[in-house]
Amino acid sequence: MFVDSHCHLDKLDYENLHSGVADVIEKAKASNVTEILSVGVTLDSFPDMMALIEPFDNVYASCGVHPLDVESEFSLERLYEYASHSRVIAIGETGLDYHYQPETKMLQTLRFEQHVELAVKLNKPLIIHTRQARKDTLNILRSGSAEKCRGVIHCFTEDLDFALAALDLGFYISISGIVTFKQATDLKEVVKALPLERLLIETDSPYLAPVPHRGKQNQPAYVADVASYIAKLKGLSLSEVGFKTSNNFKDLFFR
Ligand SMILES: [Zn+2]
Ligand SMILES: [Zn+2]
């Protein structure tokens, strides 16, 4: 009934918290989380992540170089090769992060443009990470014709204008556990204003555990808590939020 549309399964704590990916998937299932998208952040870490998820039919992968990892090993040939894998349903995460690494802006821009071009070519949706770079993010998406492949603005923390501009490009907005944080008052208003038909939900685990799990390591099972918070915010039933966001996931990645 729920889909975790963005997590990093290769970064969970398998020493102390989980006995393996099967264990994580079982815990997710117990909370009605039936599908999981594990997101790649560097080319070097991609093969191991794929090997980890490959045995599980309900787990998919994306492939890309995170804007905060743009100084990692890169070749276009390798990105194309990995991205063509049948279990890879999305390109990213990619985008711009001027908050944490303004100094790599030029390289982030180049990588982002390369990912957009590839996504359009392979017709696989983009997973966008963006922080304090609204204008440049939209410019690159528009100039690369990203409306052709569409995508998602993941872990959304921007304003309503930016969200609406992304929706105009056919993109979806993915809401993480941040929405449950007390200080995220602006984000709560944005979530109230956006149509459920264009929302996805995610954990971004192992980061950003939602209330009531703050302080613990995040995991896909907790996406149910994000859904339940959105349901309360929007005055909807939990099952409606689960059903619609799961359908949105299908529409975006498996249309
Ligand atoms: Zn991100
Ligand atoms: Zn992420």
Side-chain angles (χ1 to χ4, degrees), residues 6 8 93 154 204:
H6 187 118
H8 303 280
E93 54 187 292
H154 110 87
D204 204 9

Side-chain angles (χ1 to χ4, degrees), residues 6-8 39 41 66 93 129 154 202 204-205 207:
H6 187 118
C7 66
H8 303 280
V39 172
V41 292
H66 192 289
E93 54 187 292
H129 170 112
H154 110 87
E202 66 172 82
D204 204 9
S205 48
Y207 318 109

Side-chain angles (χ1 to χ4, degrees), residues 164-230:
L164 295 175
L167 295 192
D168 268 350
L169 280 169
F171 275 60
Y172 288 72
I173 305 294
S174 181
I175 306 302
S176 71
I178 291 178
V179 74
T180 70
F181 299 176
K182 202 172 168 191
Q183 69 273 26
T185 47
D186 292 348
L187 179 61
K188 294 180 208 293
E189 291 308 311
V190 173
V191 170
K192 276 193 214 167
L194 290 174
L196 184 60
E197 288 68 27
R198 302 296 289 280
L199 294 185
L200 300 179
I201 50 175
E202 66 172 82
T203 58
D204 204 9
S205 48
Y207 318 109
L208 298 169
V211 173
H213 308 287
R214 286 200 79 177
K216 287 196 236 164
Q217 188 182 81
N218 205 356
Q219 56 176 295
Y222 297 167
V223 83
D225 297 283
V226 176
S228 121
Y229 196 89
I230 293 174

